[in-house]
Amino acid sequence: MNNNFGYAAYDAHTPLRPFDFPRREINAQDVLIEILYCGVCHSDLHQVRNEWRGATFPIVPGHEIIGRVIETGGAVNRFKTGDLAGVGCMVDACGVCPDCQSDQEQYCDHTVFTYNSPDKHTGLVTYGGYARQIVVDQRFVLHISDKLHPAAVAPLLCAGITTYSPLRHWNIGRGDKVGVVGLGGLGHMAVKFAHAFGAEVVLFTTSPAKVADGKRLGADEVVISKNPEDMQKHLQSCNFILDTVAAPHDLDQYLALLKRDGCLCLVGVPDHSHPSPSVGNLIFRRRSVAGSLIGGIRETQEMLDFCAEHNIVADIELIAMQAINQAYDRMLKSDVKYRFVIDMSTLEA
Ligand code: NAP
Ligand code: ZN
C-alpha cells in the first residue's frame, strides 16, 4: 500500500478535516491519477452527514474527479501517462450481469461506488476524490478533452451524466416541453442539456434570485414554484419533468403539470422519501413517476464528447480544499452558483 492524503468526515457531526489513508498498489488494468479538480455534489453532503444511513467513517467524498494519469498498469491500453482522465460515481461492477452487459453498470447489484463502498482490493472502503490521488480500473476511467477547462468539466462526471441520461432515455428533443425542478448542480446541467437537445425548458425554482441565471443557462421560462398562480399556467403542458430537489416535497404539484402520458423523473435523493403522490393525478392522464441513477460508462463518455463538441461545461465556483465545510453550509441554503469545485492544488500535506 502507498500513502494517500485528503479530507475526510470522521463522523456525521464534525467538519471535514485532513486524513492520511492507504492507496492500493496498481494492478495490470489500473490507472493511477493525480487529482486536479473534484466537484462537490449534494450526495457528498448526504453521505458525510449519514443521511442515507449505512456510512462507514472516515469518509473521503468526491465523485466528480478530473486528473492526470501518472502511472499505468502493464495491461492498460486506453490511457497513457500525461492523459487527462475523469472518474465519476463508479469504480467497478461485476461486468457479466445483464445490466453490465448492456452498458448500464450503475444498475448492477455489485457496483462499487467511488467512495464509501466495500473495496475488494483493500478490505476497507473506497475513498473518493477529495484527495491527492486515486487508482481506478481503466474500464471506469473516462477520456477528457483538453478543449474545455478541466475544472468546469469535473461536475459533468456526476451532475452532467445524471441529467443527460434520463433526458436521452426519454428521448427529449425538439417539440417537447421539459420542466426542471431545482437550480443547483444537477438542475443547471439539466437546463443546459434540455435546451441543447432543442426542448422548450421551464425551470421551477424556490429561489427568486435565480430567475435571471435560469434564463441565461437556457430556460425559456422560470417559475417560482411557491407561487400557485404561476404554477397553474403550466397545468397539463409538460411532456417530462426532471426533479433534482435534495429534500422531500409534494410531487402532486408537478404531476399536475404533465400532459397525458407525461413522466415525472426523480433524480434527487432526499434523506426521507417524498409523500406518496395521489393516485388520481396518475391514472386520469396515465402519468408516471420514475427515477434514474447516474448513467453507464459508455453513455458518460458519449456525454463528455457531446459537451466537448458543443462547448458545454458546468458553471462553477472554484474553492480551496480548506473551504469545503463553508461550501457545504452554502449548499444547504441552496446557495451554489452552480457547482463548487475543489482546486486540489490547495491540498497541503
Ligand atoms: P444542489 O446543488 O444542492 O441543488 C439542489 C437544489 O434543489 C437547490 O439548489 C434548490 O434549488 C432545490 N431545493 C429546493 N428546496 C430545497 C431544500 N429544501 N433543500 C435542498 N434543496 C432544495 O444539489 P445537487 O448536487 O444538484 O443534487 C440534488 C439531489 O440529487 C441530491 O439529493 C443528490 O444526492 C441527488 N443526486 C442523485 C443522483 C442520481 O444518480 N439520481 C446523482 C447525483 C446527485 P432552487 O433554489 O432552484 O429551488
Ligand atoms: Zn454526485
Coordinates of all heavy atoms in Angstrom, one line a residue, residues 41-44 63-64 89 158-159 186 339, ligand 2:
C41 N -20.7 17.4 -4.8 CA -22.1 17.0 -5.1 C -22.9 17.0 -3.8 O -22.4 16.7 -2.8 CB -22.1 15.6 -5.7 SG -23.7 14.9 -6.2
H42 N -24.2 17.3 -3.9 CA -25.0 17.2 -2.7 C -25.0 15.8 -2.1 O -25.2 15.6 -0.9 CB -26.5 17.7 -3.0 CG -27.2 18.2 -1.8 ND1 -27.6 19.5 -1.7 CD2 -27.6 17.6 -0.7 CE1 -28.2 19.7 -0.6 NE2 -28.2 18.5 0.1
S43 N -24.8 14.8 -3.0 CA -24.7 13.4 -2.4 C -23.5 13.3 -1.4 O -23.6 12.5 -0.5 CB -24.4 12.4 -3.6 OG -25.4 12.5 -4.5
D44 N -22.4 14.1 -1.6 CA -21.3 14.1 -0.7 C -21.8 14.5 0.7 O -21.5 13.9 1.7 CB -20.2 15.1 -1.1 CG -19.6 14.7 -2.5 OD1 -19.9 13.6 -3.0 OD2 -18.9 15.6 -3.0
H63 N -16.9 12.4 -6.2 CA -17.0 11.6 -7.4 C -17.2 12.3 -8.6 O -17.9 11.9 -9.6 CB -18.2 10.5 -7.1 CG -19.5 11.1 -6.8 ND1 -20.5 10.4 -6.1 CD2 -20.1 12.3 -7.2 CE1 -21.6 11.2 -6.0 NE2 -21.3 12.3 -6.6
E64 N -16.6 13.5 -8.7 CA -16.5 14.3 -9.9 C -15.1 14.7 -10.1 O -14.7 15.8 -9.9 CB -17.4 15.6 -9.8 CG -18.9 15.2 -9.7 CD -19.8 16.4 -9.7 OE1 -19.3 17.5 -9.3 OE2 -21.0 16.3 -10.0
C89 N -19.0 8.4 -10.5 CA -19.5 7.8 -9.3 C -19.2 6.3 -9.1 O -19.4 5.8 -8.0 CB -21.0 7.9 -9.3 SG -21.6 9.6 -9.4
C158 N -20.8 13.7 -12.6 CA -22.0 13.2 -11.8 C -23.2 14.1 -12.2 O -24.1 13.6 -12.8 CB -21.8 13.2 -10.3 SG -23.3 12.8 -9.5
A159 N -23.1 15.4 -11.9 CA -24.3 16.2 -12.3 C -24.6 16.2 -13.8 O -25.8 16.1 -14.1 CB -24.0 17.7 -11.9
L186 N -27.2 19.7 -10.3 CA -27.9 18.8 -11.3 C -28.8 19.7 -12.2 O -28.8 19.6 -13.4 CB -28.7 17.7 -10.6 CG -28.0 16.4 -10.4 CD1 -26.7 16.5 -9.6 CD2 -28.9 15.3 -9.8
R339 N -22.0 24.9 -9.1 CA -21.4 23.8 -8.6 C -20.0 24.2 -7.9 O -19.2 24.9 -8.6 CB -21.0 22.8 -9.7 CG -20.7 21.4 -9.3 CD -21.7 20.7 -8.4 NE -21.9 19.3 -8.7 CZ -22.9 18.6 -8.1 NH1 -23.8 19.2 -7.3 NH2 -23.1 17.4 -8.4
Ligands
ZN2 ZN -22.9 13.2 -7.3

